[in-house]
Amino acid sequence: MMFPSLPVQLGAYTLTAVLSEDERTVSFHALQTTMDRHVVVTVLRPEFSSGEGLTDFVALVRAKASIQYHAMGSVYEALNTDGYWYYTREFVSGIRLPEMRAAGRSLSVAQCIKLIRMVADSCEYFDVHGVETIPLTLEHFTLGEGDVFRFANPVKCGMRDLQTSEATMAQLAVAMEPLLPVNQPGQTRIRTLCEWMKNGYEGHRLKLYEILETLDTIEKQLTSQASGPAVASIVSRFKWKVLWDNPRHRWKVLAGAGVLAVLLLVLPFLGGGAAPDAADPASAGKKEGVIVMDGVSAYRVPLRAVSIGEYAIFLSSLESMTPMMLRQLEEGLPPGKKHEPDDWAAMYKAARTKGTWEGMALTLDSPVVNVDYWDALAYGRFVGGILPDKKLWSAIAERAGAWVPVRLWTGFKELDPSRTMDFDLSHAIDAGSGTLQYLPESGMRKKDLGFRIVFPQ
């Protein structure tokens, strides 16, 4: 035992009880007498207090102290007193979830949603910032007043492992099992989501954004007191994403889209009516786009830029692509090119929560920006479309007329319709790849410029 008895004084800290211990450290509940506050003091065992053991300990404390996250307990200071090396951190008040489980208590549906969302958000933060952590387990969490969850600092030294977030969400689902609600509206939805977090859905491990969107769906369903089987309502939200993310099933999505396109073309004539007037933008549909002839070829031109939600699916799918698919996607691109937009985490979170980014209100339908020419080119290949060059875009602009009001990028905001985030989405336009190619270099990214993909017909 490190100390013969407790309490014991260690500098300005009165150690009162052991909270946890591992091979190298022991963590104590303590009272900081100079501040009259409760803290956690983690003491390095004497046998590791020199050489490599001490070096590793100091590096770990520095890594923990360098990261600040709103739901994570703060690290205060590292000290040496009477030959003992230790660091102090915030003591998060409330009931610890292992204690709740031991008492046979359960969480409410609302609390489950809060907990899962907080962990998924924190994993997203750690992923974006490349911060390696130990997987969060029930031992880390405390439920405080106002149903606010906090967790102990899990940061460790090293580069972020791409599997850490998946492991964290799976382990959270396992740990939550004895705490899951019973006899409450929405309990089946939460249990279904936890099952998918743990085992995946049809061989597909849910991405963080899918987990977060499912939580949003569950909350909306509960708010509106939606009826119907809970599992079906959640499955329907992800069915097409699951198929698209799996290269072996992507043909199903393409085939279904092809059948739908044929039906849309044939049905007007089967019904004895004429085809919609192509000169009428409303009949063409704002989202579907308009068909524009380029001398010999025809292209479907969307009436809006690629959205943040669409681009998020692209980024997620990159992780599951085979080496051959990636080679085809990256042909001609700079080696090692990464396609995540600048400030992506903040942009995506604002869009998902309908918040603001760079002073602009966003949704998942808002145009994605902070991408360069190479990003747009790769996305076009991913969706089976074309990133139009200057010649093609000029031809489309000339023939589109009032259907697709396009103008080349001028560099002046008041005359620049390419700044898609300055306009209502129903009228949002951009100048296509020609705009991007006018930039000083293909790798340049602008936070006020999106892009569009056109589709050969």
Side-chain angles (χ1 to χ4, degrees), residues 389-391 393-395 397 405-412 415-419 429-436 438 449:
D389 57 21
K390 179 180 178 181
K391 180 180 178 181
W393 190 253
S394 297
V406 296
R407 191 181 308 169
L408 297 181
W409 175 43
T410 65
F412 297 96
L415 300 175
D416 184 10
S418 69
R419 299 173 67 102
I429 56 176
D430 65 274
S433 70
T435 297
L436 291 171
Y438 295 155
L449 192 62

Side-chain angles (χ1 to χ4, degrees), residues 55-335:
T55 300
D56 291 346
F57 180 75
V58 173
L60 175 63
V61 176
R62 286 176 176 170
K64 288 179 177 292
S66 67
I67 302 300
Q68 299 295 321
Y69 182 75
H70 64 90
M72 185 173 69
S74 302
V75 172
Y76 294 139
E77 59 183 349
L79 300 165
N80 178 281
T81 301
D82 299 331
Y84 288 100
W85 286 93
Y86 58 98
Y87 74 93
T88 63
R89 55 186 168 90
E90 179 182 357
F91 178 78
V92 181
S93 60
I95 181 169
R96 297 174 63 242
L97 295 196
E99 297 171 357
M100 179 180 288
R101 180 175 58 184
R105 294 174 55 185
S106 61
L107 297 169
S108 67
V109 169
Q111 289 171 337
C112 288
I113 291 174
K114 283 186 177 181
L115 177 59
I116 297 172
R117 177 176 283 124
M118 181 190 68
V119 178
D121 272 330
S122 68
C123 284
E124 189 174 63
Y125 175 88
F126 294 137
D127 283 347
V128 169
H129 290 82
V131 178
E132 180 62 325
T133 62
I134 59 176
L136 288 166
T137 66
L138 220 57
E139 301 291 332
H140 290 85
F141 296 101
T142 300
L143 176 60
E145 293 183 6
D147 280 352
V148 175
F149 288 97
R150 301 284 305 283
F151 61 91
N153 190 312
V155 175
K156 70 175 185 178
C157 298
M159 298 295 292
R160 181 74 171 176
D161 189 324
L162 295 178
Q163 306 303 316
T164 300
S165 291
E166 288 188 2
T168 296
M169 301 311 297
Q171 291 182 9
L172 176 67
V174 173
M176 286 179 63
E177 286 181 358
L179 291 172
L180 291 178
V182 293
N183 299 323
Q184 291 186 34
Q187 64 173 15
T188 304
R189 295 168 170 83
I190 291 297
R191 290 181 181 273
T192 299
L193 175 58
C194 286
E195 184 66 24
W196 288 352
M197 287 163 52
K198 182 174 61 176
N199 298 318
Y201 171 67
E202 292 189 357
H204 164 78
R205 178 75 73 179
L206 293 189
K207 307 298 183 184
L208 292 176
Y209 78 87
E210 292 175 327
I211 293 172
L212 290 167
E213 287 185 351
T214 304
L215 293 173
D216 292 341
T217 300
I218 293 174
E219 282 189 315
K220 290 177 182 177
Q221 291 171 342
L222 294 177
T223 300
S224 61
Q225 297 182 344
S227 59
V231 174
S233 63
I234 300 175
V235 169
S236 62
R237 187 173 180 87
F238 292 111
K239 191 80 173 180
W240 69 271
K241 290 182 181 178
V242 170
L243 290 174
W244 185 262
D245 282 344
N246 190 331
R248 292 177 299 173
H249 300 313
R250 192 166 294 163
W251 66 269
K252 299 177 183 178
V253 179
L254 297 175
V259 171
L260 180 59
V262 171
L263 288 174
L264 290 174
L265 291 172
V266 173
L267 282 177
F269 298 98
L270 292 178
D277 184 358
D280 179 8
S283 67
K286 292 180 179 179
K287 290 187 177 181
E288 291 76 6
V290 296
I291 305 300
V292 178
M293 296 296 295
D294 174 23
V296 177
S297 304
Y299 300 92
R300 178 174 63 82
V301 183
L303 297 190
R304 61 175 177 82
V306 173
S307 71
I308 294 173
E310 290 166 338
Y311 200 82
I313 296 172
F314 165 59
L315 292 178
S316 176
S317 297
L318 290 175
E319 302 174 11
S320 59
M321 287 186 183
T322 65
M324 180 178 296
M325 293 171 64
L326 285 172
R327 283 195 298 270
Q328 294 174 344
L329 191 76
E330 305 291 339
E331 183 179 357
L333 273 62

